[in-house]
Amino acid sequence: MDYSVLAETYERLEAEPSKLKKADILAELFSKAPGQDLEKVVLMMRGTVFPGYSQMELGIADKLVIKAVARATGFKEDRVVDMFKRTGDLGLAAEACLKSKKQMSFSKRRLTVDFIFSDLRKLADMTGGGSQDRKLDLIAEMIVSAKPVEARYIIRTVLSNLRVGVMDAMIKNAIVAAFLASDDKKEASDAVEYALNIIADFGEVAAIAKERGLSGLRKARIDVGKPIQVMLAEKGESIDEILKKYKKVAIEWKFDGMRAQVHKRDGEVLIFTRRLEDVTRQFPDLVKLVKESVKSRECVIEGELLAINKKTGEPMPFQTLSQRVKRKHHIEKMAGEIPIQMNFFDAIYVDGELLINTPFGERRKILERIVRPIHGKIQLARQITTDDLKDAEKFYRSALDAKQEGIMLKVLDSSYVFGRHVDGWIKIKPVMETLDLLIVRATWGEGSRANWLTSFALACRDPESGGLLECGMMSTGLTEDEYREMTKTLKPLIVAEKGKDVTVRPKVIVEVAYQEIQKSPTYSSGFALRFPAFKNLRPDKDDADPIDRVRKLYASQGRAG
Ligand code: AMP
């Protein structure tokens, strides 16, 4: 297929405001694209030459393109820059330069889709010394042979900015219209969606639709080594409500780390993020651990990856892990400094079997069968199965104590649903903005905690009276070190002691997360925080938040009065 057909289509798309009509234009193009070009045509309509999951980028800068256009058209770079300024678009600038070139050279090459596609891919492969020059040569060569309008879109694709307003949903609709017109429309678009979730490559899915139709799409297989779109969670209102609806559920800690999709085939292991980025290179330690602990020959399993404090073995905040994700050099050294821990929570594909329609409870059992835990490094997500509110709330507190985000409630007979938020997984976490509050009273602990203050009364400020108003008791969210530190800080501030309870001078401000604010006669503010959990000390602040802020946050929950 000639590239001019694509250029013409881009032009029509650019001029067409209606989304529906744009999808029609795309469908027309897809139907007439010959088999060998279809995948390329589909990708190029998305403005790229790589499938959605690929990490390859063209990464070409404006400056290089200006040079290439100048070289190809014989114009001075300043002229090209002028045109760029006037049009605000290097594609249009290239087009204008070609149009006003006095003597149009005869095309040396016929520009086909195949040709441009492979030249664009070559650009991404050029690295190392002299690569800038080679890229310049290649872009200039494409422009020399291009008609003005073709140059517009070649340049825009080179710069990864096509500007024709094509969205993924239009491409999906166009695939349905081009190849599945005789099928039920809803079934056809579900099948396309399903295949895209598993394959994540619009080009390949279009080719399957063309060659094998609806049944081919439905039979789309997971390709171990290519990432899938992951299942997402719904937000839950309250644990109580979820237990009432589903009775018994599995509950897991909602870890504050990075979702990792692990693909294993024989001796090969690949790691992908939730956004389908390949981060295998950044985690050689995880690759090694997976090889040691995962017993299946072939699988796609998922979990949450945490960074761990080397000395204490405690989880570190997500920011620490993200240093590892960003790291490009001396990766092994950093892996030594910031060790990781994987918490597996789902199995999607194991040894030839796609498990998405297997109930979650069963999938967990399969996961337990194939993963051999390695203490502190590879484990299964901590889980309880219960219908009891007290047990569930205790588990929630344990997650907050361990500095994790909250809990995930999982419906035992739910399927794995790609790429969407569904209520098979329901997350409960402190979603409100945190409050900065003063500690006004505390209570000594019991047993092994007898030497620590373990429970803290929190207060906000009443600016009218200047006094403090209590709004809850906090006894979660601190590590052992933090309890120790807090006790040391509060002890000199104790002004009265009665049994286990002490009153302290209000000096220590803490940032507190919580599930919700309730009205309550128990506390002088008239409000109580539900599940307050310690986040941080706030030595930088000189006063607690005012009662007004508590009132406003209460009202923002949508149930004031
Ligand atoms: P959110 O990003 O708040 O919508 O929550 C969903 C994310 O929680 C998932 O993408 C995972 O990265 C993370 N997560 C942590 N622990 C779990 C778990 N036990 N099960 C499922 N997802 C989890």
Side-chain angles (χ1 to χ4, degrees):
M1 186 181 235
D2 282 346
Y3 185 75
S4 61
V5 183
L6 252 59
E8 243 166 61
T9 311
Y10 287 137
E11 222 182 356
R12 283 174 66 199
L13 287 165
E14 202 173 343
E16 176 56 67
S18 149
K19 287 182 189 162
L20 284 176
K21 291 199 182 129
K22 275 181 193 268
D24 290 345
I25 297 171
L26 288 167
E28 196 185 312
L29 176 73
F30 295 170
S31 352
K32 71 180 176 206
Q36 78 272 15
D37 286 330
L38 179 63
E39 293 197 29
K40 296 173 195 140
V41 166
V42 173
L43 291 185
M44 285 165 100
M45 282 296 129
R46 294 184 79 227
T48 165
V49 285
F50 304 106
Y53 60 82
S54 169
Q55 299 313 294
M56 296 293 277
E57 278 176 12
L58 294 179
I60 307 285
D62 286 357
K63 240 172 146 178
L64 191 78
V65 169
I66 291 168
K67 280 196 179 130
V69 174
R71 158 115 43 106
T73 57
F75 283 0
K76 293 236 159 46
E77 280 179 40
D78 287 350
R79 277 279 303 272
V80 183
V81 172
D82 259 2
M83 298 269 202
F84 181 22
K85 282 191 187 140
R86 221 177 304 152
T87 54
D89 171 23
L90 267 173
L92 289 175
E95 183 177 7
C97 287
L98 277 181
K99 269 190 192 153
S100 60
K101 217 170 104 176
K102 279 192 200 78
Q103 222 180 347
M104 290 285 280
S105 56
F106 289 108
S107 287
K108 292 185 198 72
R109 308 190 295 188
R110 194 180 128 227
L111 292 188
T112 58
V113 166
D114 190 45
F115 211 98
I116 298 290
F117 187 89
S118 68
D119 271 5
L120 290 170
R121 280 210 165 168
K122 273 187 216 153
L123 279 179
D125 287 335
M126 291 174 175
T127 51
S131 60
Q132 291 302 311
D133 290 337
R134 281 180 283 135
K135 285 180 183 176
L136 197 151
D137 289 346
L138 194 62
I139 300 170
E141 257 175 56
M142 286 190 269
I143 303 300
V144 161
S145 308
K147 298 186 193 106
V149 64
E150 291 172 340
R152 182 196 317 172
Y153 297 107
I154 292 171
I155 293 301
R156 287 185 185 173
T157 310
V158 163
L159 291 169
S160 306
N161 188 7
L162 196 53
R163 301 170 124 175
V164 296
V166 166
M167 288 180 295
D168 286 352
M170 294 173 198
I171 302 213
K172 277 184 214 166
N173 292 341
I175 294 174
V176 172
F179 308 118
L180 308 164
S182 56
D183 295 296
D184 176 86
K185 206 164 166 208
K186 165 96 177 53
E187 282 181 24
S189 53
D190 284 352
V192 169
E193 179 94 36
Y194 171 80
L196 276 172
N197 280 324
I198 296 190
I199 300 177
D201 177 348
F202 280 85
E204 198 178 328
V205 169
I208 296 174
K210 179 180 166 98
E211 284 153 28
R212 291 187 273 135
L214 207 58
S215 70
L217 291 168
R218 285 182 180 146
K219 279 192 221 129
R221 305 288 300 166
I222 280 199
D223 208 346
V224 178
K226 285 189 187 168
I228 53 152
Q229 301 285 349
V230 297
M231 175 158 176
L232 302 169
E234 267 298 329
K235 242 188 240 153
E237 281 296 323
S238 73
I239 302 175
D240 194 21
E241 186 182 299
I242 298 161
L243 288 181
K244 277 196 185 115
K245 181 161 173 197
Y246 296 103
K247 310 289 181 285
K248 205 175 218 175
V249 291
I251 312 182
E252 294 169 2
W253 281 6
K254 183 174 189 310
F255 303 92
D256 182 18
M258 182 190 94
R259 179 136 182 195
Q261 200 180 121
V262 173
H263 289 233
K264 175 172 183 261
R265 181 192 285 142
D266 299 319
E268 198 193 356
V269 171
L270 292 167
I271 322 279
F272 298 96
T273 66
R274 167 174 169 168
R275 301 215 153 65
L276 317 190
E277 286 162 76
D278 183 342
V279 288
T280 312
R281 223 171 68 81
Q282 281 90 322
F283 294 101
D285 40 354
L286 178 59
V287 169
K288 191 160 165 276
L289 286 165
V290 167
K291 284 183 188 166
E292 281 168 36
S293 89
V294 178
K295 288 179 281 183
S296 60
R297 192 182 70 74
E298 244 195 1
C299 67
V300 175
I301 54 181
E302 271 196 290
E304 193 84 353
L305 192 62
L306 299 178
I308 294 293
N309 182 315
K310 213 165 124 180
K311 290 202 191 90
T312 63
E314 280 178 10
M316 306 282 282
F318 171 71
Q319 287 72 10
T320 312
L321 184 69
S322 74
Q323 289 177 33
R324 288 214 40 190
V325 178
K326 287 185 212 133
R327 190 65 161 232
K328 298 262 158 32
H329 307 288
H330 307 296
I331 287 169
E332 294 280 354
K333 183 165 168 266
M334 192 166 217
E337 284 159 17
I338 306 179
I340 42 106
Q341 176 190 87
M342 182 67 173
N343 293 278
F344 283 115
F345 55 67
D346 218 323
I348 297 135
Y349 172 87
V350 174
D351 290 334
E353 230 187 299
L354 187 60
L355 302 172
I356 55 173
N357 293 320
T358 306
F360 173 71
E362 288 295 311
R363 299 205 302 276
R364 167 81 187 201
K365 285 195 191 117
I366 295 172
L367 196 59
E368 284 167 8
R369 268 207 304 278
I370 64 167
V371 175
R372 185 177 60 85
I374 300 176
H375 182 69
K377 294 182 173 148
I378 295 278
Q379 46 200 41
L380 288 147
R382 186 180 293 237
Q383 191 193 69
I384 60 166
T385 303
T386 188
D387 55 1
D388 183 82
L389 182 61
K390 286 231 155 48
D391 283 352
E393 290 188 344
K394 195 165 148 214
F395 194 69
Y396 180 44
R397 282 198 197 93
S398 76
L400 297 179
D401 275 346
K403 301 260 182 235
Q404 301 307 324
E405 272 183 31
I407 47 175
M408 279 282 195
L409 291 92
K410 298 191 173 176
V411 179
L412 288 165
D413 60 4
S414 62
S415 314
Y416 190 96
V417 184
F418 293 114
R420 268 187 294 144
H421 297 269
V422 285
D423 57 7
W425 290 2
I426 307 150
K427 59 186 173 195
I428 294 277
K429 59 178 183 182
V431 283
M432 305 284 294
E433 288 170 35
T434 56
L435 280 164
D436 295 327
L437 301 167
L438 273 160
I439 295 181
V440 289
R441 289 183 297 115
T443 310
W444 292 105
E446 286 173 5
S448 60
R449 297 173 155 204
N451 289 330
W452 297 346
L453 291 165
T454 53
S455 185
F456 312 92
L458 306 166
C460 56
R461 180 69 70 187
D462 178 4
E464 272 174 32
S465 69
L468 287 163
L469 298 171
E470 288 192 15
C471 54
M473 282 304 273
M474 169 183 83
S475 50
T476 50
L478 289 91
T479 61
E480 297 209 344
D481 277 350
E482 283 166 346
Y483 274 121
R484 218 169 276 132
E485 247 341 272
M486 187 69 94
T487 306
K488 214 165 115 191
T489 314
L490 289 177
K491 233 170 149 178
L493 301 174
I494 296 178
V495 288
E497 203 148 1
K498 193 174 167 204
K500 281 185 178 304
D501 299 326
V502 302
T503 306
V504 294
R505 264 191 288 141
K507 288 278 178 215
V508 178
I509 299 182
V510 286
E511 181 184 356
V512 181
Y514 50 93
Q515 184 68 29
E516 63 171 338
I517 303 175
Q518 295 174 322
K519 285 233 161 156
S520 161
T522 317
Y523 297 105
S524 51
S525 65
F527 294 102
L529 304 184
R530 218 164 121 70
F531 295 116
F534 174 79
K535 290 276 284 192
N536 284 304
L537 283 171
R538 292 300 305 263
D540 51 318
K541 291 206 75 168
D542 0 299
D543 204 359
D545 282 337
I547 177 71
D548 233 25
R549 175 137 199 272
V550 179
R551 284 196 193 110
K552 278 200 190 116
L553 286 167
Y554 173 78
S556 75
Q557 300 173 144
R559 46 177 100 154

